[in-house]
Amino acid sequence: MIGYLLFFVFLIHTNEAKGGKGKPPPLPLKKWMTLSGGEPQIVANGGFSGLFPASSIIAYDFAASNSLPGTILLCDLQFTRDGQGFCESALALQNTTNVDDIDPKGQKTYNVNGQEIHGWFGLDYDGVYLFNNVTLNQNLFTRPPWWDGQMINMPQDVVAYFKTPPRFWLNVQYDSFYNQHRISPEDFILSSMVDIQPEFISSPEIGFLKSIGPKVKAAKTKLIFKFLGADVVEPTTKEKYSSLATKLSMIKSFASGIVVPKDYIWPSNNGYLQTAPTNLVLDAHKQGLEVYASFFANDDYLSYNYSYDPTREYLQYVDNSQFSVDGVLTDFPVTASATIGCLYQNKNASRTIKTLIISHDGASGEFPGSTDLAYQKAIDDGVDIIDCSVQLSKDGVAFCLTSADLTDSTTAASLFMDQATTIQEIQSDNGIFSFDLTWTEIQSLKPQIQNSFRDLIRNPQNKNKGRFVTLAEFLELAKTKAATGVLINIENTAYLASDKGLDIIEIVSTALSNATFDKQSTQKVLIQSDDSSVLLKFKDIPNYQRVLTIKKDISGTPAGLAQEVRKYADAINVIRRDIITSTDTFFTKNFTNIIPAMHAANVSVYVGVLKNEFQNLLLDYYSDPYVEIATLVDAHVDGLITDYPATANSYMRSPCHNKAAPYKISGVRPDIVDPPLPPVAKISTTDSASNTTSTGSTPTTTPAPKSSSSSATVTKAGVYIAAVVGHKD
């Protein structure tokens, strides 16, 4: 636990967000369509509960320190048997604390507003027992458990923790329930007003808000009516919340605002947003009511419209042509801060970062890869370099597809399963290969979007959209659309030549020449291969940049690799862990020496594949693809290879990297590059075991580990370099 607390302190001190307490200064030069005309408020739901246990001091502190100034801290108020209030996201405690381990027989059942709820309740314990024995836990499997064991806090303790009182929001979810058990949330709040100083008090119960309203009027506390599910019945009026949404003038009589699930504002159906929002925000603003939208979380199943980019969801609610909500309740206030602080009204901003954006099979996160629609989307989304991994049909037609194996990226398995075979020179798995089908047969197939994660499906409406593109068509598209450049990826050269009689190098060279790419310098041409022999074939064309694909883990690379690569290539394409290594607990660990070593040899470094899906991200990226992008840009990579060019382009056009901006998206800063490699040990040819036995002496220095992949790398550097460079003569 101490190690993780130190890691938390490290995160606090390395994040350059302009977090702070107190009222927020206005963000400059932007017009907002909120009720007040000011920027939307960020309400940290239980603090930074997307990373830390909700309502823990560590969650509140991180949210306040790393979000926009003036971020509001929300406390869901629960109670002990002796009437002590505490911050806890759930009425039943078993999923968010360790109470069931501390008191295995403490489970009870209560009727809460007509619903039977089973579990462990704060109501059954005195405060002294609960606060001294029960601790907070993270309750979602997608979030790290490493900070479990945090103390439960009273709201007074949370406020007192900060030198400057934070903006504070109390939510009273179960007033009627507690009053049934002779505990008055109202009395607790009124007796604690001086210590807590809540700026907001919310509740889904009209009776509570009407009762407490006159008593906190002098404190200028805002009362917010909280909507629950549309079919849930409000305890005071016995009306459904969907019905109350039509009675905003009545709500205005006792509240200054409403907080609603975001679907009340922009409904969705089967994972897709409806084409238009409801009138709720506009109608509420006409009544003088602020509107806060809730249930924002980066690691939730976002609408397909957002392409797993969480900032696009916030922008849907604060940056549309009709309205802006007045605030968002979020588990990830850092992402909300980035959206409101530096991505808002950024659609037409000019590019400020020159790091290349390189597509991976076009915009393959949004359409089937390597199709006309994927390439067009990538171009529309601001990509610099569109890529084509060249495959060949049986009759020699060159076309673009991510792999020679058609199984995953097309519908070949339903039509040509009898053609499946295993080719060890290409892959160990069975496959249906392009060079075993004619171009006519391939055209009879449909492209198929590839999902990187089973639970995070990419846009199913686009599953089989688009058509396959020949290499000639790809090059013509690049010229017509004036793409900055093209990347041509060539693999399986030796096998195609020796076993299929197909000369892929000649086919690619002819296509490039026919499209006059070898006779111009306006558009970049990148020739990529994992085979250095292929790259050598293009060394005499000066305006072609040669890119060596390195599929092995080279994070512990020998120092000589960069100079060896320079003989064959101008750039390398490496996997992400070659640049940033990670711990066993899925946090960043350190930067390797790859980038400085390659740059010293005048070799550019391209990194991929970037994906928006939160399961693709290390935990200290906060389930936010922008933090990974910022980390790699800060590391001085020369290009990002991505399934989602729109997300990379959004970051490149934003002021989010500028320290003068209201908010800066800071990359994670793990340790600096690996330490220098040790000298090669002098190993005796005599059997070491027999020597030790005969002398019985103790070594004068601590011996190195008996087996180590890193030591093998050092002592066999020449072999390692040859393997990485990948001669396939």
Side-chain angles (χ1 to χ4, degrees):
M1 179 59 67
I2 292 176
Y4 292 116
L5 288 175
L6 290 175
F7 175 75
F8 162 68
V9 173
F10 170 76
L11 286 178
I12 290 289
H13 286 289
T14 56
N15 194 304
E16 294 184 30
K18 298 183 179 181
K21 324 311 190 279
K23 294 282 187 179
L27 300 182
L29 302 177
K30 294 181 178 180
K31 296 180 180 179
W32 304 87
M33 300 179 72
T34 56
L35 181 64
S36 68
E39 69 269 13
Q41 305 293 318
I42 297 170
V43 185
N45 182 34
F48 198 137
S49 52
L51 187 62
F52 306 103
S55 306
S56 62
I57 288 294
I58 195 172
Y60 286 126
D61 192 6
F62 196 92
S65 301
N66 293 273
S67 305
L68 275 172
T71 291
I72 301 160
L73 307 181
L74 185 145
C75 164
D76 280 297
L77 190 60
Q78 312 297 346
F79 288 90
T80 63
R81 179 164 51 201
D82 50 348
Q84 297 192 59
F86 62 96
C87 298
E88 165 56 46
S89 58
L91 179 63
L93 306 179
Q94 65 271 15
N95 291 329
T96 54
T97 74
N98 67 339
V99 66
D100 49 338
D101 292 329
I102 299 300
D103 183 19
K105 298 182 180 180
Q107 185 176 21
K108 290 190 176 181
T109 300
Y110 285 101
N111 185 289
V112 183
N113 296 331
Q115 181 182 4
E116 297 291 313
I117 297 182
H118 309 280
W120 284 255
F121 298 81
L123 189 66
D124 295 319
Y125 304 96
D126 290 333
V128 171
Y129 178 87
L130 193 73
F131 300 149
N132 289 336
N133 294 280
V134 179
T135 57
L136 299 169
N137 292 339
Q138 184 59 267
N139 70 322
L140 296 179
F141 75 93
T142 57
R143 299 175 181 179
W146 317 126
W147 289 280
D148 286 359
Q150 303 296 314
M151 294 177 60
I152 294 176
N153 302 284
M154 299 179 71
Q156 303 96 309
D157 298 330
V158 176
V159 173
Y161 173 82
F162 296 94
K163 292 181 180 179
T164 302
R167 304 180 71 196
F168 206 66
W169 180 315
L170 280 177
N171 179 56
V172 180
Q173 192 85 354
Y174 302 103
D175 177 70
S176 297
F177 170 74
Y178 283 119
N179 273 284
Q180 290 169 11
H181 296 276
R182 300 182 180 180
I183 293 172
S184 172
E186 180 180 305
D187 289 347
F188 173 84
I189 292 173
L190 294 176
S191 66
S192 308
M193 283 294 289
V194 173
D195 296 325
I196 302 175
Q197 302 177 42
E199 186 177 339
F200 301 84
I201 296 176
S202 64
S203 177
E205 299 190 20
I206 290 176
F208 169 77
L209 293 173
K210 284 185 173 181
S211 176
I212 200 172
K215 301 165 189 174
V216 298
K217 188 174 182 179
K220 296 183 179 180
T221 300
K222 290 184 176 182
L223 299 185
I224 309 295
F225 179 53
K226 181 176 182 179
F227 281 74
L228 302 182
D231 292 328
V232 177
V233 175
E234 191 277 323
T236 305
T237 63
K238 308 304 180 184
E239 291 189 58
K240 291 182 178 181
Y241 286 96
S242 57
S243 174
L244 292 172
T246 66
K247 300 180 179 181
L248 297 176
S249 60
M250 181 271 290
I251 293 172
K252 177 60 178 174
S253 68
F254 62 85
S256 61
I258 58 176
V259 55
V260 298
K262 57 196 177 190
D263 271 7
Y264 271 70
I265 300 169
W266 216 300
S268 61
N269 185 30
N270 295 324
Y272 292 94
L273 294 178
Q274 291 186 5
T275 54
T278 67
N279 292 323
L280 180 65
V281 176
L282 294 176
D283 291 345
H285 283 176
K286 289 177 183 177
Q287 296 294 334
L289 287 167
E290 294 181 324
V291 181
Y292 295 83
S294 62
F295 294 113
F296 286 88
N298 295 2
D299 54 0
D300 198 1
Y301 293 94
L302 303 181
S303 166
Y304 297 120
N305 301 74
Y306 304 132
S307 301
Y308 294 104
D309 181 343
T311 71
R312 289 174 62 175
E313 181 175 42
Y314 290 108
L315 290 171
Q316 189 79 17
Y317 290 84
V318 303
D319 189 16
N320 63 71
S321 61
Q322 301 176 56
F323 63 82
S324 171
V325 297
D326 301 280
V328 293
L329 276 63
T330 174
D331 293 358
F332 291 83
V334 167
T335 301
S337 295
T339 306
I340 293 170
C342 65
L343 294 176
Y344 172 76
Q345 289 188 346
N346 204 46
K347 294 176 181 177
N348 299 316
S350 58
R351 180 85 166 263
T352 58
I353 298 176
K354 302 306 180 185
T355 306
L356 288 176
I357 302 172
I358 305 170
S359 72
H360 178 243
D361 304 321
S364 55
E366 315 220 30
F367 287 97
S370 305
T371 59
D372 58 333
L373 296 180
Y375 288 128
Q376 185 60 60
K377 186 70 167 68
I379 293 169
D380 293 343
D381 288 343
V383 76
D384 296 309
I385 308 293
I386 54 173
D387 71 303
C388 172
S389 288
V390 181
Q391 311 303 336
L392 297 181
S393 66
K394 186 176 183 179
D395 46 350
V397 175
F399 66 103
C400 303
L401 201 65
T402 190
S403 168
D405 182 4
L406 307 175
T407 307
D408 292 333
S409 56
T410 77
T411 56
S414 63
L415 295 176
F416 294 104
M417 203 61 205
D418 59 331
Q419 297 274 17
T421 185
T422 300
I423 303 175
Q424 292 295 338
E425 295 94 326
I426 296 178
Q427 63 185 41
S428 58
D429 294 334
N430 224 25
I432 303 169
F433 295 94
S434 65
F435 42 74
D436 291 329
L437 301 179
T438 66
W439 177 236
T440 299
E441 290 173 322
I442 291 171
Q443 287 182 299
S444 72
L445 306 175
K446 292 181 179 179
Q448 188 164 277
I449 202 166
Q450 292 182 274
N451 298 307
S452 298
F453 304 95
R454 183 175 58 185
D455 296 333
L456 299 175
I457 303 300
R458 291 176 171 176
N459 193 335
Q461 286 186 353
N462 295 341
K463 180 180 179 180
N464 299 116
K465 285 186 177 180
R467 62 175 181 82
F468 302 114
V469 177
T470 65
L471 176 57
E473 291 171 334
F474 169 83
L475 296 174
E476 181 61 27
L477 175 69
K479 295 187 72 173
T480 302
K481 299 296 182 179
T484 301
V486 296
L487 183 150
I488 307 299
N489 184 47
I490 304 172
E491 294 186 349
N492 308 319
T493 308
Y495 176 82
L496 290 169
S498 60
D499 288 61
K500 298 297 178 180
L502 296 170
D503 188 346
I504 190 171
I505 294 177
E506 177 61 28
I507 291 171
V508 168
S509 298
T510 300
L512 286 168
S513 180
N514 289 342
T516 68
F517 273 93
D518 59 340
K519 303 176 182 67
Q520 56 84 50
S521 58
T522 304
Q523 292 176 290
K524 296 178 182 292
V525 178
L526 283 62
I527 303 296
Q528 177 177 281
S529 181
D530 60 349
D531 186 343
S532 60
S533 300
V534 172
L535 299 181
L536 286 174
K537 296 289 187 179
F538 294 91
K539 67 181 177 64
D540 294 329
I541 305 177
N543 58 318
Y544 287 3
Q545 184 186 60
R546 294 168 294 156
V547 183
L548 179 66
T549 302
I550 300 177
K551 299 180 180 179
K552 300 177 174 66
D553 183 345
I554 58 168
S555 55
T557 178
L561 177 61
Q563 292 300 330
E564 184 68 16
V565 166
R566 190 68 186 91
K567 297 177 183 178
Y568 308 98
D570 309 294
I572 58 172
N573 173 350
V574 296
I575 55 180
R576 295 173 300 157
R577 68 173 176 267
D578 285 336
I579 305 301
I580 302 172
T581 61
S582 60
T583 67
D584 293 338
T585 52
F586 305 105
F587 287 92
T588 57
K589 182 179 180 181
N590 68 340
F591 285 120
T592 69
N593 63 352
I594 294 296
I595 292 176
M598 291 295 167
H599 283 177
N602 199 28
V603 175
S604 298
V605 179
Y606 305 141
V607 180
V609 175
L610 275 60
K611 307 173 191 290
N612 286 355
E613 289 90 344
F614 69 86
Q615 291 184 8
N616 193 56
L617 303 170
L618 295 173
L619 291 174
D620 44 341
Y621 293 149
Y622 318 140
S623 300
D624 185 339
Y626 287 80
V627 179
E628 180 177 46
I629 291 170
T631 301
L632 292 170
V633 170
D634 289 350
H636 306 295
V637 300
D638 300 286
L640 300 174
I641 303 166
T642 175
D643 287 357
Y644 295 94
T647 300
N649 188 39
S650 177
Y651 177 80
M652 303 296 184
R653 288 185 291 103
S654 76
C656 297
H657 56 92
N658 188 341
K659 291 184 178 180
Y663 189 85
K664 180 179 186 293
I665 299 179
S666 297
V668 176
R669 295 181 180 177
D671 296 334
I672 308 302
V673 298
D674 295 330
L677 293 166
V680 177
K682 295 181 179 179
I683 306 298
S684 171
T685 56
T686 307
D687 185 278
S688 59
S690 62
N691 283 351
T692 303
T693 303
S694 62
T695 62
S697 62
T698 302
T700 57
T701 59
T702 303
K706 289 185 178 179
S707 79
S708 166
S709 58
S710 61
S711 62
T713 297
V714 175
T715 57
K716 299 181 180 179
V719 174
Y720 182 88
I721 291 172
V724 168
V725 171
H727 296 283
K728 296 182 181 179
D729 297 329

